[in-house]
Amino acid sequence: MSEKDTSIGVRISSHSTIAELRDAAEQCTACDLYRNATQTVFGEGPEAARVMFVGEQPGDAEDLAGHPFVGPAGKLLDRCLVEAGIDRKQTYVTNVVKHFKWVPRGPRRIHSKPGSVEIEACFPWLEAEISVVKPRIIVALGATAAQALFGKSFRVTRDRGRPVPFALAPCALATVHPSALLRAPDEETRRTEIERFIADLRQVAEILR
Ligand code: URA
């Protein structure tokens, strides 16, 4: 790979490492989210990971811990990965946006969906992660990640679990975000939706075999 300058002022080459990118991303001011976030939450996992999971943005727990998918949605993701026969330690897990966007409600920080300005500002980090890890398969978790990666017309409800042509990896697909499962209106729906999510992850496991 030839050297490439990115719009976030980072030079990516075939020798770049995730550790270098993570260090550089700590100083990122490409959009305003750094002002109210505790820290940048960069992706994590082995550089040789064959699968990359991409979520929307860190939540409250991730913002405080500095690690992706460690809060309630992350714990559910972990459980479902086990069910699908995927070892999280062998995966690379990241987000489209790397700072927590929130609004205050009393003493609480409430998740606020990132907009196109933040998604575009942050996208070079994700591209850089992809070019270092070179995963065999990229899995978008939820609509924000899926549309950032596969285009605005992508619909998770319609296109989940299907291979998507994608220039940056040999295989790609999208499924729901685990936080959507936590918001299911009743126990029965939650159980059914978790089973569908695990079925999508089993397809990923199949591709990795
Ligand atoms: N939701 C996400 O999209 N990413 C995280 O890291 C946590 C929750």
Side-chain angles (χ1 to χ4, degrees), residues 41 54-59 62 67-71 73-74 93-95 141 177 179:
V41 181
V54 183
E56 180 193 80
Q57 64 167 352
E62 290 78 14
H67 303 287
F69 280 100
V70 292
V93 178
T94 191
N95 286 294
L141 298 171
H177 193 289
S179 64

Side-chain angles (χ1 to χ4, degrees), residues 55-57 96-97 111 113-114 119 140-149 156:
E56 180 193 80
Q57 64 167 352
V96 166
V97 169
H111 165 276
K113 202 168 135 63
I119 291 169
L141 298 171
T144 302
Q147 293 185 356
L149 288 163
V156 173

Side-chain angles (χ1 to χ4, degrees), residues 99-168:
H99 281 114
F100 179 36
K101 183 176 180 183
W102 58 278
V103 289
R105 189 179 301 156
R108 296 178 61 210
R109 303 189 302 169
I110 305 297
H111 165 276
S112 172
K113 202 168 135 63
S116 56
V117 169
E118 291 123 4
I119 291 169
E120 276 163 37
C122 215
F123 202 75
W125 292 118
L126 181 57
E127 283 183 307
E129 290 173 293
I130 296 170
S131 58
V132 172
V133 176
K134 299 185 192 64
R136 165 145 177 71
I137 174 160
I138 294 187
V139 183
L141 298 171
T144 302
Q147 293 185 356
L149 288 163
F150 310 138
K152 277 263 167 234
S153 60
F154 192 92
R155 293 286 171 271
V156 173
T157 41
R158 184 189 61 201
D159 301 324
R160 71 182 286 177
R162 293 204 207 131
V164 191
F166 185 53
L168 305 180

Side-chain angles (χ1 to χ4, degrees), residues 44-67:
E44 282 182 357
E47 273 179 21
R50 296 169 67 228
V51 54
M52 179 181 285
F53 288 97
V54 183
E56 180 193 80
Q57 64 167 352
D60 188 75
E62 290 78 14
D63 170 77
L64 296 173
H67 303 287

Side-chain angles (χ1 to χ4, degrees), residues 63-83:
D63 170 77
L64 296 173
H67 303 287
F69 280 100
V70 292
K75 291 194 169 64
L76 179 55
L77 173 65
D78 288 352
R79 250 179 56 207
C80 295
L81 286 172
V82 170
E83 290 284 323

Side-chain angles (χ1 to χ4, degrees), residues 4-84:
K4 191 172 93 184
D5 284 317
T6 65
S7 55
I8 35 158
V10 176
R11 174 158 285 212
I12 315 278
S13 79
S14 47
H15 305 296
S16 295
T17 65
I18 291 296
E20 284 165 2
L21 295 174
R22 181 178 296 115
D23 283 353
E26 274 175 25
Q27 312 304 325
C28 187
T29 56
C31 76
D32 280 342
L33 293 184
Y34 75 96
R35 295 181 190 279
N36 292 327
T38 307
Q39 56 196 315
T40 307
V41 181
F42 209 68
E44 282 182 357
E47 273 179 21
R50 296 169 67 228
V51 54
M52 179 181 285
F53 288 97
V54 183
E56 180 193 80
Q57 64 167 352
D60 188 75
E62 290 78 14
D63 170 77
L64 296 173
H67 303 287
F69 280 100
V70 292
K75 291 194 169 64
L76 179 55
L77 173 65
D78 288 352
R79 250 179 56 207
C80 295
L81 286 172
V82 170
E83 290 284 323

